[in-house]
């Protein structure tokens, strides 16, 4: 791990100065390919309806599900469409799930005058025991009952259910299965330790100064200024830094100036301007020393719908001078030194969190991997571009490292698939609150959190450092 | 002894200047490797404590290492006060590094001031932020300026335009308008002074300009770190007045699309130039000063930045001119005041009222096209006038012709009007296409002028 490797060299800095100070060369990029092309949008037209994305999703997922169903319930199971269902006959149906949630915010209900409803306050979860599941395929839909847990599932999931239809018009489920993991190409073995640093939620412009020192310490560690020679040597093995979204804070999004009178807001500047300037300086420091990939997030100045397009280089005049800076999409997919990375800035996971009973972000991340879809709730509750030819959020190939940003706390797990796939799941925590980033070791596919702290007046018992009892 | 110098330096910083000396600050100030700076700090602390055990020195350390937390081994990096150092060390399972982070005279309540110190020194050293660091990345090479596409620059220039134009609505002769200083990229403080005085200078020197042009071309090819340094040297050598042109020319050399016009010799303000799309020129003029402003700062992005700078000076020097003479290039601005083409560069607005009338008579013998363009740019109005003349058959012909009329109330307007009327009718044919082009410019010129009252008699304008 990073720490052990760093501790191997002798401590030299608590001593009188010596003129020969070691300088380490950053590990060169042995191979990098950016495979986010499916997430780049060219000409965008929003005149299409969203039904097409569901249709293509089902079309693409159907073969995967049929093969999984056959594996699970035997080759003899009958896979039928809803229109072919006979009552009482046991068969398997493949379709898209729809969860009818009474608490789901509906703009039509809000503005409807006959209901006279007040706008619903935002809740952390919109699930309710009365949620109902409906399975839809190309032509029909049918209510689901039985051995299927509505609270864990969300709209947009494509699955296969085994059961039989009743005369009442409902389908009683005995078992269900997901598409599970996609096939995975094995990663070539590496001979030296190489690290990729995953950070998310820098939250610049947020007004809170505590995280700024942490951010500076992070940059200093990666650029080799901080630490002893051992640590600097290990830091030189960080081959890439991925900033997974929310570089700007939620506070920069405030649009108070719209509500205020013009004469009060004449000379005010949007908060994001200052924040982007700070971000540019940080990116300059980083890109002068290490290849950086910058993914936009929920509060960043780019489009709202998924897939978010890269931030515009004009915002970073200092940093774009270096070719090591790469502005990429959200979700982001790349092969770094032979290891496939795929990740998002966390909007997909937090949206599923709101509409299902799953509590742990890492658990949700694993669930999306098993469902073989990055964000099944798009476009229902998560903004999405109206695709019609293909659904780019389906996993065609299983990554080696699958991460999501801006989770409340760090989490990491190795997940094994049915065909011996091995995936490292990383829940990258929000840096502005946790001051923690993640170091992924590409050789061993392990992840170590790295956290930073300063000291404050109240840290009498080392509580702030997380070293308390 | 040379190695004792640093001890004295640190002593001076800490005790006399009461500064917070962090390793990074010391590294940049003394120009040494970060590790050496850390060792220097440690050495200083040790010696000072040995000499004078009552020394009022507060030291913060950086401790890093691993710790088992929640089932996984977490790497911790922490800045701690000296009194907490041992406690933190004992908690760590593996200690990776300990070194002095900072020395200061007063006890720090929290780590905020440490960040501020580091931030300040970083701001003034943004361009070589990894110079003294222990890791060097071979791949991190600033992009050469010529590689950046012109469309990218244009895009940026457009963005700059939109941010610049509201800022420059009010006349500023003595410095930047404040919003421009709030550009996304900052300027080193040393350069600000130079920019502030740039706007005021109006003297031009064409000879110097051509010389510096060639010099700047060679400078352009040099890598990032050197250019601003050289720019500074150049500025010291040539003085502030020439700096404007220096930058203008530097940027004009580099820019691809917009500055093509600029590169032409200043005196040849001819029809072909006028024929170029006025909108493009306008934006190029706007683009230059803004980019100019950032030029000094960002070596890597020299092109776009330099363009902004030229635009900045352009705007400051002759914001009014821009509206009036949109197609005159930046190079024209550097023309000697008494040269014909410079008439266009002079502004007719109140602050320098005298120079404009003077060049006006000189411009009269100029080719009509120049005159017409210059006269027309100054608050033109397209007025349908009927012209009466005697044609070849001896008949008196009255023609309705769109003529551009200057509606300034200064003398040159009279002269210009007279000259325009005296212009032979054959010129009307040639004038038409020019006037068509001038149409949009006139509109904006009129608009620009209309908002501002030139003098008390501005109300009573000659139609």
């Amino acid at each position: 791990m990073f720490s052990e490797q760093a501790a191997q060299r002798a401590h030299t800095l608590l001593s009188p100065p010596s003129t020969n100070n070691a300088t380490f060369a950053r590990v060169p990029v042995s191979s990098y390919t950016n495979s986010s092309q499916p997430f780049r949008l060219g000409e965008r037209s929003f005149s299409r309806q969203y039904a097409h994305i569901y249709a293509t999703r089902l079309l693409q997922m159907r073969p995967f599900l049929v093969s999984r169903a056959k594996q699970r319930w035997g080759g003899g199971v009958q896979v039928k469409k809803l229109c072919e269902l006979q009552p009482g006959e046991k068969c398997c149906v493949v379709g898209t799930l729809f969860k009818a949630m009474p608490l789901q915010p509906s703009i039509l209900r809000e503005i409807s005058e006959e209901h006279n409803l007040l706008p619903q306050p935002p809740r952390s979860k919109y699930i309710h025991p009365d949620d109902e599941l409906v399975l839809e395929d190309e032509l029909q839909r049918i209510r689901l009952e039985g051995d299927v847990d509505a609270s864990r599932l969300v709209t947009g999931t494509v699955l296969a259910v085994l059961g039989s239809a009743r005369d009442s018009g409902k389908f009683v489920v005995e078992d269900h299965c997901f598409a599970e993991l996609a096939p995975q190409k094995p990663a070539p073995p590496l001979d030296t330790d190489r690290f990729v640093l995953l950070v998310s939620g820098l939250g610049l412009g947020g007004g809170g100064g505590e995280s700024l020192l942490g951010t500076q310490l992070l940059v200093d560690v990666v650029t080799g200024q901080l630490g002893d020679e051992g640590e600097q040597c290990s830091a030189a093995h960080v081959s890439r830094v991925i900033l997974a979204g929310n570089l700007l804070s939620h506070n920069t999004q405030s649009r108070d100036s719209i509500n205020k009178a013009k004469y009060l807001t004449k000379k005010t500047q949007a908060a994001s301007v200052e924040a982007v300037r700070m971000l540019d300086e940080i990116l300059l420091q980083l890109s002068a020393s290490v290849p950086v990939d910058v993914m936009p997030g929920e509060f960043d100045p780019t489009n709202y719908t998924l897939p978010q397009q890269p931030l515009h280089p004009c915002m970073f005049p200092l940093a774009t001078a270096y070719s090591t800076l790469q502005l990429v999409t959200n979700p982001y997919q790349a092969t770094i030194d032979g290891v496939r990375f795929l990740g998002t800035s966390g909007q997909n996971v937090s949206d599923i969190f709101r509409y299902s009973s799953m509590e742990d972000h890492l658990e949700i991340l694993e669930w999306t991997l098993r469902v073989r879809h990055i964000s099944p709730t798009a476009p229902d509750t998560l903004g999405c571009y109206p695709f019609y030819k293909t659904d780019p959020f389906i996993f065609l190939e299983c990554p080696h490292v699958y991460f999501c940003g801006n989770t409340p706390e760090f989490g990491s797990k190795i997940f094994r698939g049915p065909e011996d796939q091995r995936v490292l799941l990383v829940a990258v925590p929000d840096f502005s609150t946790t001051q923690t980033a993640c170091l992924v070791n590409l050789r061993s596919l392990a992840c170590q959190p790295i956290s930073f702290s300063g000291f404050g007046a109240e840290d009498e018992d080392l509580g702030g450092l997380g070293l308390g009892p | 002894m040379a190695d004792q110098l640093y001890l004295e330096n640190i002593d001076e910083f800490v005790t006399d200047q009461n500064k917070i000396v962090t390793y990074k600050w010391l590294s940049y100030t003394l120009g040494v490797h970060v590790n050496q700076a850390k060792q220097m700090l440690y050495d200083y602390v040790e010696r000072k404590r040995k000499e004078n055990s009552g020394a009022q020195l507060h030291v913060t350390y950086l401790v890093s290492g691993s710790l088992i937390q929640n089932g996984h081994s977490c790497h911790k990096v922490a800045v701690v006060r000296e009194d907490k150092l041992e406690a933190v060390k004992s908690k760590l399972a593996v200690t990776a590094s300990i070194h002095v982070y900072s020395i200061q005279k007063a006890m720090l309540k929290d780590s905020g001031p440490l960040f501020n110190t580091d931030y300040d020194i970083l701001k003034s050293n943004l361009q070589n932020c990894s110079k003294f660091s222990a890791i060097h990345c071979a791949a991190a090479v600033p992009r050469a300026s010529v590689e950046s596409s012109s469309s990218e620059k244009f895009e940026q220039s457009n963005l700059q335009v939109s941010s610049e134009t509201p800022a420059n609505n009010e006349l500023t002769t003595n410095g930047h308008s404040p919003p421009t200083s709030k550009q996304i990229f900052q300027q080193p403080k040393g350069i600000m002074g130079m920019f502030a005085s740039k706007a005021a200078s109006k003297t031009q020197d064409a000879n110097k300009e051509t010389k510096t042009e060639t010099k700047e071309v060679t400078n352009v090819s040099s890598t990032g770190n050197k250019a601003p340094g050289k720019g500074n040297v150049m500025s010291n050598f040539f003085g502030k007045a020439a700096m404007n042109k220096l930058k203008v020319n530097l940027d004009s050399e580099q820019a691809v699309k917009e500055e093509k016009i600029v590169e032409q010799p200043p005196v040849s303000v001819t029809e072909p130039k006028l024929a170029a799309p006025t909108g493009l020129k306008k934006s190029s003029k706007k683009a230059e000063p803004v980019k100019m402003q950032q030029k000094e700062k960002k070596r890597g992005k020299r092109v776009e930045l330099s363009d902004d700078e030229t635009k900045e000076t352009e705007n400051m020097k002759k914001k009014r001119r821009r509206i009036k003479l949109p197609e005159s290039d930046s190079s024209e601005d550097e023309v000697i005041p008494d040269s014909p083409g410079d008439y266009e560069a002079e502004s007719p607005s109140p602050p320098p009222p005298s120079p404009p009338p003077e060049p006006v008579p000189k411009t009269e013998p100029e080719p009509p096209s120049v005159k017409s363009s210059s006269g027309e740019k100054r608050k033109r109005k397209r007025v349908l006038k009927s012209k009466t003349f005697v044609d070849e058959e001896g008949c008196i012909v009255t023609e309705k012709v769109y003529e551009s009329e200057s509606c300034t109330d200064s003398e040159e307007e009279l002269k210009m009007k007279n000259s325009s009327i005296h212009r032979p009718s054959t010129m009307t044919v040639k004038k038409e296409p020019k006037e068509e082009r001038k149409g949009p410019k006139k509109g904006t010129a009129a608009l620009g002028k209309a908002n501002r009252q030139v003098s008390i008699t501005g109300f009573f304008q000659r139609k």
Side-chain angles (χ1 to χ4, degrees), chain B residues 93-350:
Chain B
V94 178
T95 311
S97 43
I98 307 178
H99 64 79
V100 177
Y101 192 87
S102 78
I103 304 179
Q104 56 276 338
K105 221 160 135 183
M107 162 92 109
L108 286 179
K109 282 282 177 331
D110 64 76
S111 36
L114 293 177
F115 170 73
N116 290 336
T117 315
D118 279 344
Y119 187 67
D120 291 335
I121 193 72
L122 188 68
K123 284 296 267 289
S124 32
N125 286 296
L126 267 181
Q127 286 314 319
N128 48 351
C129 46
S130 60
K131 196 166 156 192
F132 302 113
S133 122
I135 298 180
H136 282 125
C137 180
V141 174
R143 260 191 260 256
S145 52
V146 288
E147 284 175 12
S148 43
S149 66
S150 59
S151 60
E152 204 180 304
K153 275 183 318 208
F154 196 71
E155 222 169 45
Q156 189 185 356
S157 74
N158 280 338
L159 288 158
Q160 294 306 328
V161 165
S162 44
S163 67
E164 268 297 290
T165 34
N168 286 316
N169 274 340
E170 73 281 344
L171 279 177
T172 50
T173 50
N174 59 348
H176 290 268
S177 35
T180 59
S181 59
K182 277 192 211 153
Q183 301 289 341
I184 308 169
F185 11 78
Q186 276 197 5
Q187 280 191 329
K189 291 173 193 142
I191 311 294
M192 273 302 271
M194 242 200 312
F195 280 104
S197 54
K198 250 200 314 197
S201 73
K202 281 205 187 312
T203 55
Q204 317 291 349
D205 187 359
N207 294 335
K208 266 194 200 172
E209 168 211 15
T210 46
K211 260 194 283 178
T212 56
E213 244 183 59
T214 49
K215 281 207 183 123
E216 285 304 319
V217 169
T218 54
N219 281 346
V220 162
S221 49
S222 65
T223 47
N225 281 346
K226 290 205 214 137
K230 272 192 193 163
N232 288 335
V233 172
M234 290 295 206
S235 74
N236 296 337
F237 184 57
F238 285 117
K240 288 176 184 144
M243 261 314 278
N244 306 336
K245 292 193 307 274
L246 256 179
K247 293 197 169 77
V248 166
N249 289 321
L250 175 62
D251 312 330
S252 61
E253 291 303 316
Q254 293 177 359
V256 177
K257 196 162 46 163
E258 301 132 16
E259 261 62 45
K260 266 192 304 208
I261 323 144
V262 176
E263 282 167 17
Q264 296 184 24
V267 187
S268 60
V269 181
T270 56
E271 286 181 54
K273 264 207 216 169
L274 301 175
T278 58
L280 181 59
K281 282 176 179 171
K282 224 184 197 171
S283 65
S284 78
K285 275 188 84 83
K286 287 179 193 175
E288 291 161 2
V290 174
K291 289 183 198 165
M292 172 91 105
Q293 193 187 4
Q294 300 114 29
K295 176 215 159 205
E296 284 297 309
K297 256 230 127 177
K298 315 304 159 260
R299 294 115 198 244
K301 274 284 207 195
R302 227 177 323 131
V303 188
E304 296 86 17
L305 301 174
S306 56
D307 291 340
D308 292 334
E309 289 163 8
T310 26
K311 185 192 157 200
E312 183 61 26
T313 50
E314 294 285 301
N315 275 347
M316 290 184 297
K317 272 190 290 192
K318 38 193 115 43
K319 192 195 63 68
R320 330 131 200 148
R321 291 175 221 174
R322 172 172 51 114
I323 297 168
K324 294 204 170 21
L325 317 163
E327 65 253 0
S328 61
D329 318 312
S330 55
S331 55
E332 285 178 5
D333 300 332
E334 282 91 57
V335 166
I336 308 165
D338 54 348
S339 79
D342 191 56
Y343 165 69
E344 305 182 3
E346 294 294 348
S347 160
S349 63

Side-chain angles (χ1 to χ4, degrees), chain A residues 6 9-24 220-221 223-236, chain B residues 6 10 22-28 30-44 62 96-101 129-136:
Chain A
R9 283 200 181 212
H11 292 192
T12 59
L13 294 178
L14 290 176
S15 59
S18 59
T19 41
N20 51 338
N21 292 112
T23 325
F24 305 98
D220 286 343
V221 167
T223 55
Q225 311 215 0
L226 215 57
D228 211 330
E229 285 197 356
E231 191 157 358
Q232 287 164 345
C233 177
S234 300
Chain B
Y6 71 86
I10 302 176
T22 59
Y23 75 91
K24 208 194 274 188
W25 190 91
L26 193 69
S27 157
Y28 281 119
L30 296 183
V32 293
H33 193 276
V34 281
N35 286 351
Q36 199 172 3
K38 295 168 198 165
Q39 288 166 333
M40 282 178 179
L41 285 177
Y42 176 77
D43 197 31
Y44 174 76
L62 181 102
S97 43
I98 307 178
H99 64 79
V100 177
Y101 192 87
C129 46
S130 60
K131 196 166 156 192
F132 302 113
S133 122
I135 298 180
H136 282 125

